[in-house]
Amino acid sequence: MSLQDVIQEQVKAGLQELYEVELPSVELQPTRKDFEGDITVVIFPMLRYVKGNPEKIGQQLGTFLQEKVAEVSGFNVIKGFLNLVISDAYYLKFFNKVRAQKGYGKVAQKDNNAVMVEYSSPNTNKPLHLGHIRNNLLGHSVSLILEAAGKKVYKTQIINDRGIHICKSMLAWKRFGNGETPESTGLKGDKLVGNYYVAFDKAYKQEVAEMVAAGTPKEKAEKEASLLQEAQEMLRKWEAGDPEVVQLWKTMNGWVYEGFEETYKSLGVSFDTLYYESDTYLLGKDVVEQGLEQGVFYRKDDGSVWIDLTEEGLDEKIVLRSDGTAVYMTQDIGTAIQRVKDFPDINGMVYTVGNEQDYHFKVLFLILKKLGFDWADHLYHLSYGMVDLPSGKMKSREGTVVDADDLVLEMSETAGAIASELGKLEDYSEAEKQQLYHMIGLGALKYYILKVDPKKRILFDPEESVDFQGNTGPFIQYTYARIQSILRKAPEEGMQQDVATDLELHPKEKELLKWLEGFPEAVQQAAENYSPALIANYTYELVKEFNSFYQQVSILGEADENIKIFRIQLADKVAQVIQTAFGLLGIDVPERM
């Protein structure tokens, strides 16, 4: 039982003894920095059950708690707030317990129920872009956080590898490609295929313009242009299994996958299993038939199948067209069910998809619940906002889309320019410098994106993100490296011994210990809210507290040997927590900077 739990229990016991009142809940919060104390009991909510002056109630409760809870060494009451002073011994005992604990903050797997987290889910007709970066970083980080909180996690993506957009790239390659390959051009496969998608669009628009100039109405020209007709015919051949078309599809998709893999490796994200739309696009039709029998869906006169969700505040939604073909909703229903068949221990899913799909997922989750799947109660749409760039800050493909590889490269170059100016890398080899620049640049990018609540839109400023001051990844990485420098100079003797619990703590030591104690709760909160931002901002506050501690007390220069060893151990534990927390964000930390 945590100290907070003990205090809550004893507050209830105190109210029962003092006022014969049963309190349903107790509100605790950290004591404000401008008051003495560590944990504050909020009196105001109790006034619904206890009539009286809040200051008097606080005084009586404070006296009761000081008598009953050994860890409470003092208290004060400010208006309706009872501020409890927790003994130094309590925090030192806590530190001795966790000092050598590897993976502090994480918990072992709690049960056999698994959650599947879907993210990335690109189309195979173009490279990954800035929007995919936020998607990947969020999905991957949430997977790591859920695992740290005790969940079994499967990381997956569904690759949109079929459809008219893929056929457009294929047709353009056949028309204009002259047999080009990634090897012959030196281009990443996803970029080469993306170029042909652009080439199709350019040729198609030109053909439409020529038809319009010759007198064809624009709408008719857009539908009847020969290039579009050919692409649609290619899609029909693919669906019919035409060997030549299928082989070209496999070849070009293969190029794209190799390109994607390179980008994922550079970003530091990975997947446990992959789904392909070419395998899943026919799923769900059988479920619609079953749903018709159950009365979940209904058939209209034209043969199309719908669901009426007006009673739930939504509208009517089509799940099968009149010609019997599926819509995206049908596929998503079928794919969710298939995943549970493939991994029977799944009891929940997280879909990392932009906020323009909010309505789609409300409908999907509701349909799956109506179909009677118990795991449908544990579905979550990890909805996120757009990422914008200040104009002129970044070169972009075709002036509109920021390529993911270009952004990562530019981040490394920006980090390199700033790190070189700081001038502390004289003894680094060129390879070591490049590795460090990539680590700082990628850390800056990830932190800047993940520190923001997922639902909020982001204005991403690459230069601001690489600042070595303020709430940035490099600032935190630099603090970690500073601690490593201290540890390299620290004596080895005595470092394994427990700290004497009768030490008198400096206020800055106590603040750091309180922040360290809060890390496991920060991990659980981040998991419950599917929010890496909670981890990012916890880490920033911990680092700020460490830097304040570092400026106000001496570590290696401390004369008292016991205090010196404790401070070195404390710095070491802070570094471990920074590394663990940043690991949950997918960010590496450097030993030197």
Side-chain angles (χ1 to χ4, degrees), residues 514-545:
K514 285 195 281 188
W515 274 101
L516 289 174
E517 189 187 30
F519 182 52
E521 178 62 20
V523 173
Q524 293 297 325
Q525 286 288 321
E528 284 169 27
N529 292 280
Y530 304 94
S531 178
L534 296 177
I535 296 292
N537 290 296
Y538 164 86
T539 314
Y540 176 57
E541 293 299 330
L542 173 68
V543 163
K544 275 201 306 184
E545 202 57 59

Side-chain angles (χ1 to χ4, degrees), residues 162-163 233-242 245-246 281:
R162 63 167 286 278
E233 177 58 25
M234 187 176 265
L235 179 59
R236 282 190 284 272
K237 284 183 175 179
W238 179 86
E239 288 180 349
D242 180 280
V245 171
V246 169
Y281 79 106

Side-chain angles (χ1 to χ4, degrees), residues 180-449:
E180 280 190 344
T181 66
E183 289 76 19
S184 72
T185 60
L187 284 173
K188 279 178 79 228
D190 52 337
K191 287 186 169 53
L192 179 66
V193 172
N195 288 347
Y196 283 108
Y197 185 68
V198 173
F200 176 94
D201 193 54
K202 188 178 175 184
Y204 168 68
K205 283 176 179 170
Q206 188 177 334
E207 185 184 350
V208 169
E210 287 168 2
M211 290 172 71
V212 170
T216 309
K218 190 180 178 189
E219 209 171 291
K220 190 177 184 197
E222 286 173 344
K223 286 180 183 172
E224 295 182 0
S226 63
L227 263 177
L228 183 62
Q229 296 287 323
E230 278 189 65
Q232 288 170 336
E233 177 58 25
M234 187 176 265
L235 179 59
R236 282 190 284 272
K237 284 183 175 179
W238 179 86
E239 288 180 349
D242 180 280
E244 186 185 335
V245 171
V246 169
Q247 187 53 52
L248 177 60
W249 171 76
K250 284 181 179 176
T251 299
M252 291 182 71
N253 274 352
W255 296 342
V256 173
Y257 299 146
E258 285 180 13
F260 283 171
E261 194 51 44
E262 205 176 310
T263 305
Y264 291 141
K265 191 175 178 184
S266 175
L267 278 174
V269 302
S270 60
F271 304 90
D272 301 313
T273 185
L274 306 176
Y275 285 86
Y276 298 89
E277 196 182 316
S278 54
D279 296 327
T280 63
Y281 79 106
L282 296 176
L283 293 178
K285 288 186 178 184
D286 56 337
V287 181
V288 170
E289 291 303 323
Q290 292 165 20
L292 275 167
E293 291 171 18
Q294 294 172 300
V296 175
F297 305 120
Y298 69 95
R299 198 185 296 276
K300 286 193 174 180
D301 292 342
D302 65 356
S304 58
V305 180
W306 296 69
I307 186 167
D308 185 354
L309 300 173
T310 50
E311 283 189 15
E312 285 81 7
L314 305 177
D315 58 9
E316 295 184 351
K317 185 74 181 174
I318 189 169
V319 291
L320 214 58
R321 296 189 188 96
S322 55
D323 61 1
T325 55
V327 293
Y328 271 110
M329 186 62 71
T330 327
Q331 293 176 45
D332 283 350
I333 293 165
T335 303
I337 295 165
Q338 185 61 46
R339 286 171 173 172
V340 179
K341 286 178 184 172
D342 295 341
F343 299 90
D345 53 352
I346 287 178
N347 190 41
M349 295 180 220
V350 177
Y351 294 83
T352 313
V353 182
N355 56 15
E356 70 277 2
Q357 294 292 328
D358 285 355
Y359 187 80
H360 174 87
F361 284 101
K362 281 181 186 172
V363 173
L364 173 64
F365 298 168
L366 198 47
I367 289 174
L368 288 165
K369 281 183 187 178
K370 285 180 175 286
L371 288 168
F373 296 105
D374 53 3
W375 44 262
D377 288 326
H378 307 289
L379 300 176
Y380 184 79
H381 175 204
L382 180 50
S383 174
Y384 62 90
M386 292 275 290
V387 184
D388 301 308
L389 285 159
S391 58
K393 286 279 184 186
M394 176 84 48
K395 301 182 189 80
S396 61
R397 295 173 63 251
E398 306 147 56
T400 53
V401 180
V402 178
D403 181 273
D405 296 318
D406 291 348
L407 181 57
V408 171
L409 180 62
E410 176 129 348
M411 291 302 299
S412 297
E413 289 172 352
T414 305
I418 293 172
S420 299
E421 281 174 27
L422 293 174
K424 295 182 181 177
L425 307 175
E426 294 84 358
D427 57 340
Y428 277 52
S429 70
E430 192 54 38
E432 285 173 329
K433 284 181 183 177
Q434 293 306 320
Q435 188 179 4
L436 180 64
Y437 299 158
H438 182 73
M439 189 187 293
I440 296 170
L442 200 56
L445 171 66
K446 291 183 176 185
Y447 186 82
Y448 200 97
I449 285 176

Side-chain angles (χ1 to χ4, degrees), residues 13-30:
L15 265 288
Q16 181 72 53
E17 185 174 309
L18 295 166
Y19 297 99
E20 296 183 349
V21 164
E22 278 197 28
L23 201 63
S25 61
V26 178
E27 186 182 334
L28 302 181
Q29 59 189 37

